[in-house]
Amino acid sequence: MSSNATVTVEVGLGDRAYDILIGSGLLLRAGTEISRRLPGTRAAVVTDVNVAAAHLETLKAGLEKGGIRPAVITLPAGEKTKSFAHLEEVVDGVLAARLERGDVVVALGGGVIGDLAGFAAGIVRRGMNFVQIPTSLLAQVDSSVGGKTGINSARGKNLVGVFHQPKLVLADTEVLDTLPIREFRAGYAELAKYGLIDRPDFFAWLEENWGKVFAGGPQRTEAIAEACRAKADVVARDEFETGVRALLNLGHTFGHALEAATQYDSARLVHGEGVAIGMALAYRFSSRLNLASPDDAARVEAHLRAVGLPWRMADIPGELPDPEALLAFITQDKKVSRGALTFILTRGIGQAFIAKDVPASEVLSFLKENHPGQQKSRPGQPKSSPGQPKGRPGRPRGRPG
């Protein structure tokens, strides 16, 4: 495969099906691709200050090539932007631009902007068209695909939102060259997730090729495309997460609790890092329940360490709430149904399953065993932090960040 080739993955949702385009140079093609699907549309671009500085002018040029002159709504960067206050700001900006229901809201940014802009598009005028242009690896392989949108509450992550599918996803791999290495690693955790759910051959491929994925080129494009194929397949079968789509939450129940426990402070923990720790915990918890081999948990931890990701709660800088408080965050998570704890657990690499009615007492005991105040370092597994991990690979090559 040429590194310049564009790969198309379709999300099959009948008359609401849409394409994910993956490749370089897509920002400059954005106007053409949007106008082809939504002729005569006007647009509002929602972005954050960091992404705007790096990519907004390129996108505006690309939109204008397709005859679209956008209104721009620029927000602060960071997880705390996913709030009611900034949702109101986006809604007001779209209305102030006098956009109609048939016009389009374009999200230019990572998962925070995609979730927030998508939620706004889903509720303004009872639903507007929506296009995702994800600029982080995490957003390209996960949050931009599938129609989940929302904001955070003080009581937990993503507790307020709607399902609202985009009309198009443009995953420009070139923009990833400007990502800070920590953000690229965080997105890689979601890449690895797809292998750990039900694609063991993909996980094994990542174990061999992760360095090339970080470096860029065809391996990066193919890894993103494979992740999008995996997610598109699940979304097509279970759009509203009533069944199999819950498997995509591997690592997220633990991860979301840790994000809430750190008050969404990105200096301490970003979403992908929470997922990485959460996946390691899910595999270790599965081993504790005699569902999977300890060797599988060790293999997952080894790969996360190899790419420089945190893999245990002790890797989070600063103090965490006690195990009882962490359990309270877990019970508030939206994947709890009628008070019963639901986890995505595993019987091995690529053998994830939905475990319902998990006893809270088992979870609490496990949290106590793995809490930083009680966990002892294992031989050969030095403590690392998200900011300065051991075995750090080089930053993605390309344009300077």
Side-chain angles (χ1 to χ4, degrees), residues 114-126:
D115 285 0
L116 177 63
F119 187 17
I123 61 176
V124 174
R125 302 195 186 282
R126 297 188 175 90

Side-chain angles (χ1 to χ4, degrees), residues 249-261:
N249 293 316
L250 175 65
H252 285 60
T253 299
F254 285 120
H256 283 173
L258 293 172
E259 286 184 89

Side-chain angles (χ1 to χ4, degrees), residues 42 44 71 73 89-99 124-125:
R42 295 183 300 152
I73 302 165
E89 184 177 349
V90 174
V91 168
D92 186 65
V94 171
L95 294 174
R98 298 185 179 276
L99 297 186
V124 174
R125 302 195 186 282

